[in-house]
Amino acid sequence: MRVYLTAVRLSLRRYLAYRSSAVAGAFTNTVFGCIRAFVLIALWKQKPEIAGWDLADAVTYAFLTQGLITPMGIFMNNTDLGPRIRTGDIAVDLYRPVDFQTWWLSLDLGRALGAGMLRTLPPVLFGVLLFPVRLPLSPLRWAEFAVCCFLGYLISFGLRYLASLATFWTMDERGMSSILVALGMFCSGLIIPLTIIPGAVGTVLLHTPWAAAMQMPINVLLGTQSGGFGYALAFGSLWALLLLGAGRLLTDVARHKVVVQGG
Amino acid sequence: MTEADDKPLWGPAAYLLLVRIWMRAASQYRVSLVLTTLAQFFTTCLDLIAILVIYTHVQTIAGFTLPETLYLYGTTRLAFALSDVVASGVENLATMIRLGNFDLVLIRPVSSLAQVLADQFTPKRFGKLLTPILTLGWALHALPVHWTVLKGAVCVGTVLCGFALYCALWVLTGCVSFIAVDAQEVANSFTYGSENATEYPLNIFGRPLGLALTFVLPVAFVTWQPSLYVLGHSDPFGLPGFLRFASPPAAALLSGLAALAWRACIRHYRSTGS
Amino acid sequence: MTLSSITEPIILAEGLTKTFSSRKSAPFTAVDGIDLRVAAGELVGYIGPNGAGKSTTIKMLTGILSPSSGLLRVAGYEPQRERVRLARQIGVVFGQRTTLWWDLPLKDSFTLLQRLYKIPPSRYAANLAYYTEALDLGPFLDKPVRQLSLGQRMRGDITAALLHDPAVVYLDEPTIGLDVVSKHAVREFLSDLNRRTGTTILLTTHDIADIERLCSRVVAIDHGRVTYDGSLADLRADRDLETVVRELYLGRSLVDTTE
């Protein structure tokens, strides 16, 4: 257990060492938060209520999503796992006396915490100060939000982990990861809130695992999640278990493959 | 050592030569290339889908209909995709400088800018072209515009000047790398952010920001200003009419600025490492 | 005037200075008023401890850095201002970095260089044939550069620097990391090159054997200033070369040898 906590701490420290890079990233997030906010404002000005959201909800969503991108790894540019598999360095990791999946989860969690510290607050703060962002005051809401975020994080890790493992078979992580990034950008609600996507498409999108990464936590925070916190909790837990479980299975298959091939 | 031809290899010729070499290197990884090209295509569709979703709820945004917004989107996206194909090699400049590989650029008898622009050229960038071409095609078909020769010329000119403006922006962001390696990401947010912002009618950003995007960071000339003319729209900011045709001088000005900035950066280059 | 233009040095530096300004600390003078005259056809060893200013000097000579002050002319050009024109007259070999294209066969790098430097096809073919034979490139001409061993890559880099018949070649630690056989091969090749074609060679190295075998003239630099500039024979003055160089690096004054 201590090994994993150490991994989290070291990974966090490493992320925080590249502070100036994170600051630059926070700037980008803020810029895009503004752009998305203006777009949604233009829409909501025409139609003041859409899918139970008002203008303030939409603007809050715009900045919160930008703040959550990096912890949730939507752009997947911080994983070493894929490249290590491709170069074969992974052999060293496979023989460590730690649980493979938990090890990578710990490393990624450290990164996510660092990103949460440095990149989540700036865009949201900017939105609060200069835009009609409205955050709830109830501590219970925030606690629920935190839980949903954690589940969303586990799901996003689960997805990225599976995609990285696929490198064992495809021997190239760039192709898979770029498709995943494109999917993730849309299905997590980064480009446009999933709740306003009409018809069957919208319904389907609300049930993919990506929906739990950002859309659901924010819905819970805003109080607009249909089925409330209970539904989000169940949904998130289910997908997290499924994805992490699939990850464990796939790890065993991969390990077996590596051993059989002679490493 | 008498050379038959004393002039150094022309910049654009060197650029094309290097692009061919990089394409050959990239084509060694066929599957990866196909997948990433597909991913690029999907990514460009996302903004389009966002616009379509928005318009399922309303008929106009900031006074612009769907075909009109798609025209804005198509022109700026196409200009940007073209500039991305040609100039996004500049994104690698920060890494090049950090690893000391920019020195290698400077010892070659060809334009340093040509080498940097061509760096890591990959065919996957072409994946970004299809969506804007199709969208623009549809928008042109659906727009109730009375086409004249002048409007047609301005339409074509919009994409060309937009291309030049974006290329100049790429070069300027590259110049920022010479100053501070991390600053490149900040500069990138201006390039990508400009593209994202100009997909929509500029008046959604309000008057102060809209004016800033016209006179400070002149991205309004990528598509907004000339499109006001093509679409026959009045200017929500009430700016003088001649600005609708100011894209060419704006592009020339920014390109000139970029060229000067690049030259100055080379002159003051510090070259880290031994 | 006619006499001096015949003996016009191919590298001419007078009072060459480079100062780096820094936001955090005092300005740092890496090269402090160096005078250097290298005649065409010389093979000069440029030595000094790390941080002495060797790399900075070379970077100014090749046009990578602009001098803070002083006069500098290489092959008749002002390096930084006429960088592109000068580039065709010089070749550079970095011991620790390759100038070749990583993912492509060695031969493709050469073909690309032919186009970049506008080498006439007949000249290129003749040079390539010669270097293929002299450096034994045949076995790995078609191999991607990333698969080459260090020795093979170095031979490729040397060829790449010479294909366009430069007037001056700079070699920055060319034998570093090579095995004894490869080191010998490189040294013999360079010596032969200088003798056969009269190409001016400026060699930066820490390897005593390199200096011994190749350099008739040695220029030593420390803290940005020239501490010795003369013949190898005068430098060692019948002593062991390694001892002499070590003393030089440590900054102790040289035993007698006056000018």
Side-chain angles (χ1 to χ4, degrees), chain A:
Chain A
M1 186 63 198
R2 201 170 303 164
V3 155
Y4 303 116
L5 285 177
T6 312
V8 173
R9 203 163 22 98
L10 288 177
S11 179
L12 172 60
R13 193 130 34 101
R14 182 172 63 165
Y15 188 88
L16 291 177
Y18 293 98
R19 235 186 322 267
S20 53
S21 169
V23 167
F27 181 83
T28 308
N29 291 137
T30 311
V31 167
F32 278 92
C34 292
I35 297 177
R36 304 315 306 168
F38 276 118
V39 171
L40 294 179
I41 288 174
L43 173 60
W44 257 265
K45 270 202 185 143
Q46 287 285 121
K47 192 174 168 189
E49 211 232 270
I50 307 178
W53 280 22
D54 63 10
L55 185 79
D57 290 326
V59 176
T60 310
Y61 181 84
F63 285 101
L64 270 173
T65 45
Q66 284 294 322
L68 288 173
I69 291 177
T70 319
M72 296 299 175
I74 305 287
F75 288 110
M76 200 173 165
N77 52 5
N78 279 314
T79 38
D80 296 324
L81 179 52
R84 282 180 76 83
I85 295 176
R86 181 164 48 90
T87 57
D89 291 341
I90 202 69
V92 169
D93 297 333
L94 280 169
Y95 289 103
R96 284 219 191 93
V98 292
D99 180 73
F100 191 74
Q101 189 190 41
T102 318
W103 174 256
W104 285 100
L105 175 60
S106 310
L107 289 177
D108 191 64
L109 185 57
R111 175 203 66 81
L113 286 171
M117 283 182 206
L118 294 178
R119 290 180 68 158
T120 307
L121 194 58
V124 176
L125 195 61
F126 191 84
V128 164
L129 291 173
L130 292 168
F131 283 78
V133 166
R134 185 186 59 215
L135 296 171
L137 296 168
S138 146
L140 179 64
R141 278 281 187 83
W142 283 99
E144 293 174 345
F145 174 67
V147 171
C148 289
C149 277
F150 182 66
L151 288 173
Y153 166 74
L154 287 176
I155 289 174
S156 82
F157 170 77
L159 287 165
R160 286 180 286 127
Y161 182 73
L162 284 169
S164 295
L165 278 188
T167 316
F168 274 111
W169 287 269
T170 64
M171 270 308 134
D172 169 66
E173 85 288 2
R174 279 168 299 193
M176 285 295 307
S177 74
S178 53
I179 301 257
L180 195 72
V181 167
L183 264 177
M185 278 169 73
F186 186 67
C187 299
S188 61
L190 183 65
I191 307 292
I192 198 103
L194 299 176
T195 42
I196 70 169
I197 298 179
V201 179
T203 318
V204 168
L205 285 170
L206 282 168
H207 290 86
T208 69
W210 282 280
M214 299 199 292
Q215 179 77 51
M216 274 197 182
I218 298 180
N219 267 341
V220 164
L221 186 68
L222 296 173
T224 56
Q225 174 64 43
S226 56
F229 175 62
Y231 176 77
L233 188 63
F235 183 87
S237 308
L238 188 63
W239 271 115
L241 281 167
L242 269 171
L243 289 167
L244 291 175
R248 296 194 78 70
L249 271 171
L250 205 62
T251 313
D252 284 336
V253 175
R255 179 175 265 128
H256 182 74
K257 175 178 192 282
V258 168
V259 169
V260 164
Q261 276 194 337

Side-chain angles (χ1 to χ4, degrees), chain C residues 215-232:
Chain C
C215 310
S216 51
R217 176 178 164 199
V218 170
V219 175
I221 180 175
D222 197 1
H223 292 110
R225 297 209 188 91
V226 174
T227 52
Y228 179 81
D229 184 355
S231 71
L232 178 63

